[in-house]
């Protein structure tokens, strides 16, 4: 266990800028008193905000840069000039061992590209995956990949399942996460060859998870599985659809309560339940997507996250560092490789 987790913060990423990031670090330090921070951005602005953050001001390390990654920057542009940006320097701190994790609310594509080139993938991982929490009718569920890989083979999906299960055990506290592959049906005969092969592999090896087979898109919100595994193309669509549906529901409710004096009365009577619904669907409550599978932890915050939301992203980084998530992923992958069935056994099992 890491006694003093050090988090590198890109203070120039996101809509809220320096003020939100520093206030979030202060809130996170209140929750996790042993947290330490390295702050990358304009020193004068950082020091001005640190005057309002007594918990972290004394120990925070400031690394000055006036250069940032813009939201409009393409990954190819950032790769050429990004090393001196607040995002690039924060990632480099993880690679150099100066920080245990980096948290940024900046350009997602740039963050993924620079992190991949700087940190590279762990041994046994072909591609990193972007994982995040989605609210359900029960508890939150982990979904990955959410956009890092548009096309995936069976090996990628199995690796995502292993990483997602470790993430669920760490963040959700589920001892044996229920894992399923996103598919167009729950029947074993449905889906692509890659999905069928990944399912066969996950059924064949005893891993610290409960493999549930396939799950359809309309079941994601039911909360009957803890980890939903898919390629980045489908995963990103599922994420955006879920976020849009949440906004649709709250928007329709708001309009419905304006139609008559009876509906307004209904609103007054149901305000508590509506506040609970809004809090459950609030992206800030589930903030902090993680690039799993790299030689270093990278957490992506929503660009529009408020102080509480960014603090939650820092909290995700803290939990993964303390739990030594990289070692857990390596151990589970080693177990999988040691007991992986050969092609003949897989073919026999599929009959």
């Amino acid at each position: 266990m890491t006694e003093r987790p050090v988090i590198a913060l890109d203070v120039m990423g996101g809509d809220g800028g320096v003020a939100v990031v520093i206030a979030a670090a202060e809130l996170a330090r209140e929750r996790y008193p042993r947290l330490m921070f390295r702050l990358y951005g304009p020193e004068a602005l950082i020091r001005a905000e640190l005057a309002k953050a007594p918990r972290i001001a004394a120990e925070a390390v400031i690394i000055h840069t006036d250069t940032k990654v813009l939201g409009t920057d393409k990954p190819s542009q950032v790769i050429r000039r990004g090393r001196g940006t607040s995002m690039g320097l924060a990632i480099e701190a993880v690679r150099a061992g100066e920080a245990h994790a980096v948290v940024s609310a900046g350009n997602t594509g740039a963050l993924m590209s620079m992190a991949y080139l700087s940190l590279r993938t762990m041994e046994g991982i072909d591609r990193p995956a972007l994982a995040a929490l989605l609210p359900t009718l029960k508890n939150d569920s982990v979904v990955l990949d959410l956009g890092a890989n548009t096309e995936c083979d069976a090996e990628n999906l199995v690796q995502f399942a292993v990483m997602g299960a470790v993430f669920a055990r760490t963040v959700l506290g589920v001892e044996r996460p229920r894992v399923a592959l996103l598919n167009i049906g729950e029947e074993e005969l449905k889906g692509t060859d890659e999905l069928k092969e990944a399912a066969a592999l996950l059924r064949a090896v005893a891993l610290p998870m409960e493999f549930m087979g396939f799950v359809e898109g309309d079941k994601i919100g039911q909360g009957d599985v803890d980890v939903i595994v898919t390629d980045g193309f489908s995963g990103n669509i599922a994420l955006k659809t879920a976020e849009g549906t949440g906004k649709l529901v709250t928007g329709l409710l708001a309009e419905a309560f304006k139609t008559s004096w009876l509906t307004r009365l209904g609103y007054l009577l149901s305000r508590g339940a509506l506040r609970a619904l809004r809090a459950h669907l609030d992206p800030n409550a589930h903030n902090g997507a993680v690039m799993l599978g790299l030689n270093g932890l990278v957490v992506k915050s929503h660009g529009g996250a408020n102080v509480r939301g960014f603090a939650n992203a820092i909290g995700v980084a803290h939990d993964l560092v303390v739990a030594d998530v990289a070692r857990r992923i390596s151990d589970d992958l080693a177990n999988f490789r040691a007991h992986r069935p050969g092609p003949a056994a897989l073919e026999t099992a599929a009959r």
Side-chain angles (χ1 to χ4, degrees):
M1 178 183 292
T2 303
E3 291 187 1
R4 297 296 304 270
V6 179
I7 310 298
L9 298 181
D10 168 18
V11 305
M12 301 177 78
D15 302 339
V18 179
V20 167
V21 173
I22 300 302
E26 179 77 353
L27 178 58
R29 179 65 177 269
E30 181 181 356
R31 297 173 181 171
Y32 308 101
R34 301 193 66 78
L35 267 179
M36 299 181 68
F37 295 100
R38 294 176 65 87
L39 309 174
Y40 294 83
E43 183 173 0
L45 294 179
I46 292 173
R47 290 199 181 280
E49 295 300 328
L50 283 177
K52 311 169 193 174
R55 289 186 182 86
I56 66 171
E59 293 184 302
V61 177
I62 302 172
I63 297 84
H64 173 76
T65 178
D66 287 322
T67 310
K68 69 176 182 177
V69 174
L70 301 176
T72 55
D73 286 342
K74 297 179 180 179
S76 57
Q77 297 172 321
V78 175
I79 288 171
R80 290 193 295 269
R81 68 165 188 83
R83 296 193 62 168
T85 63
S86 56
M87 181 186 291
L89 291 172
I91 294 171
E92 177 62 22
V94 176
R95 191 197 66 79
E98 297 169 340
H100 298 102
V102 55
V103 181
S104 174
N107 184 316
T108 303
L111 182 66
M112 290 194 296
S113 298
M114 286 201 294
Y116 176 75
L117 287 175
S118 179
L119 302 175
R120 298 297 180 180
T121 54
M122 298 168 52
E123 183 179 356
I125 298 292
D126 298 323
R127 299 180 183 181
L130 192 63
L133 299 177
L134 281 185
T136 73
L137 287 175
K138 298 175 183 176
N139 299 310
D140 291 342
S141 292
V142 177
V143 184
L144 74 167
D145 176 32
L146 293 175
N149 309 279
T150 55
E151 295 182 0
C152 297
D153 59 21
E155 295 292 332
N156 301 143
L157 294 173
V158 170
Q159 292 167 13
F160 295 172
V162 170
M163 294 190 293
V166 173
F167 185 73
R169 292 202 301 273
T170 303
V171 175
L172 299 180
V174 181
E175 186 175 348
R176 286 187 60 83
R178 298 162 297 174
V179 178
L181 297 169
L182 184 63
N183 200 353
I184 59 173
E186 297 181 4
E187 299 86 351
E188 292 185 15
L189 295 177
K190 287 191 174 181
T192 63
D193 291 339
E194 290 80 8
L195 281 168
K196 294 174 186 176
E197 183 181 347
L201 286 167
L202 290 168
R203 289 190 185 98
V205 179
L207 292 166
M209 67 174 75
E210 185 178 352
F211 181 60
M212 307 294 289
F214 299 133
V215 64
E216 294 183 78
D218 63 339
K219 302 292 178 59
I220 292 176
Q222 297 296 315
D224 293 329
V225 294
D226 303 302
V227 181
I228 299 162
V229 178
T230 185
D231 61 81
F233 185 84
S234 301
N236 192 267
I237 291 175
L239 173 67
K240 298 297 174 56
T241 301
E243 291 177 345
T245 302
K247 293 177 182 178
L248 173 65
V249 170
T250 54
L252 288 175
L253 283 172
E255 290 301 316
F257 282 125
K258 297 176 183 178
T259 57
S260 70
W261 70 268
L262 282 174
T263 58
R264 290 185 175 89
L265 176 60
Y267 169 74
L268 292 174
L269 295 174
S270 58
R271 275 186 301 180
L274 291 171
R275 279 196 292 265
L277 173 64
R278 190 180 297 112
H280 188 61
L281 296 176
D282 183 4
N284 287 292
H286 309 89
N287 192 34
V290 183
M291 284 194 71
L292 295 172
L294 296 175
N295 290 305
L297 286 169
V298 179
V299 177
K300 172 66 176 69
S301 166
H302 285 296
N306 59 22
V307 170
R308 182 172 62 90
F310 199 93
N312 286 338
I314 295 173
V316 170
H318 167 274
D319 291 346
L320 295 179
V321 169
V322 170
D324 198 2
V325 70
R327 177 188 58 78
R328 294 188 179 195
I329 289 173
S330 294
D331 290 347
D332 286 358
L333 283 173
N335 178 48
F336 171 77
R337 289 193 295 269
H339 298 91
R340 177 195 175 108
L346 281 177
E347 185 176 349
T348 301
R351 292 174 182 171

